[in-house]
Amino acid sequence: MAVSPSSSAQQARQALADRLAELCRDAGLTGRDIAERCDWHPSKSSRIMNAKTPPSADDIRAWCRATGAEDQTDDLVASLRTAEGAWIGWRRMERTGLKQAQEARLPLYERTRRFRSYSSWIVPGLIQTREYTEAVLRAVQRRRVEIDDVAEAVAARMERQRVLYEGDHRFAFLFEESVLRNSLGETDVQLGQLEHLLTLGSFSNISLGIVPMRLARSRMPVEGFWIFESAQVNVELVSGYLTITQPSEVAMYAETFAELAALAVYGAPARALITSAMDALG
């Protein structure tokens, strides 16, 4: 399933643009009128109303003043924040380092009761060991983040893992067999992570499913994603972090998760795959 930020994010931007255009019409104004009142270039209003250029918060405030709809300013600025939050590039999310990005997700994890996670290339963060997390975040920092706060980011991710042991949270982790054999960190880091998976597999609130490597399968691997309850999906892509809340799109991910889960093995067969990966490490 190919996903781009042009889906949920664009829908949110279009909804905001439509509301601004409606204010313009209700006030009996044209886009050129708005531009004149706001001292903008004539084409700016048109670009905003057609969702070609996202407005800033100041643009929205000026628009509401120009249309006599200042009572709607706060609501429209909130809509802007929603649209901006649907798609966040890594450069923006990690501009102050990796720690803040880790801490920002904690409230979502704390209020979620049912988690579903699929990964095609890495052990999910909630079930990583400290050493494995350090290897992952160090690789990220070297690739795209100037600030080195890896130690603090690792501590933040470890703190987030307390949701595994507290409250009535339930987790379904699903990943490809190749994840067990990806070389992240030294051999002892890999072994420690695989041993940790064996331990977690015995927890009553955690389901571990592994999709075996096969020549023929009905559903190919897709991008990694998290489903929080049935209300939100988060996807980590090469260029940024995507939040999906459109019910139809969330349902697509839930369906994909179910299809992949049907291909997975659990219990003793899953433990056998983990043990085999450990043996391969020597």
Side-chain angles (χ1 to χ4, degrees), residues 233-248:
V233 173
N234 285 129
V235 188
E236 294 189 8
L237 300 177
V238 172
S239 54
Y241 191 74
L242 178 63
T243 298
I244 295 171
T245 56
Q246 290 290 328
S248 61

Side-chain angles (χ1 to χ4, degrees), residues 137-206:
L137 295 183
R138 176 59 66 191
V140 170
Q141 186 269 323
R142 287 172 176 165
R143 186 171 69 251
R144 67 189 189 213
V145 183
E146 293 184 4
I147 298 173
D148 183 356
D149 63 345
V150 170
E152 293 82 358
V154 170
R157 179 171 288 186
M158 293 300 103
E159 166 64 15
R160 198 167 69 199
Q161 288 186 2
R162 61 184 168 80
V163 299
L164 291 170
Y165 314 103
E166 299 176 356
D168 57 350
H169 309 281
R170 301 193 65 82
F171 306 86
F173 293 103
L174 188 64
F175 43 88
E176 300 288 334
E177 182 182 352
S178 57
V179 168
L180 303 176
R181 300 174 184 271
N182 286 343
S183 299
L184 285 168
E186 302 294 332
T187 299
D188 59 336
V189 172
Q190 288 291 98
L191 283 171
Q193 179 61 66
L194 294 173
E195 290 173 354
H196 187 52
L197 292 179
L198 289 175
T199 299
L200 291 174
S202 65
F203 284 36
S204 60
N205 66 326
I206 296 176

Side-chain angles (χ1 to χ4, degrees), residues 1 118 174 219-223 225 227 249-262:
M1 173 171 41
Y118 166 78
L174 188 64
R219 164 63 77 171
M220 297 305 295
V222 298
E223 69 278 359
F225 60 87
I227 306 176
E249 294 186 49
V250 173
M252 288 175 62
Y253 277 93
E255 180 181 349
T256 297
F257 187 90
E259 292 173 356
L260 289 164

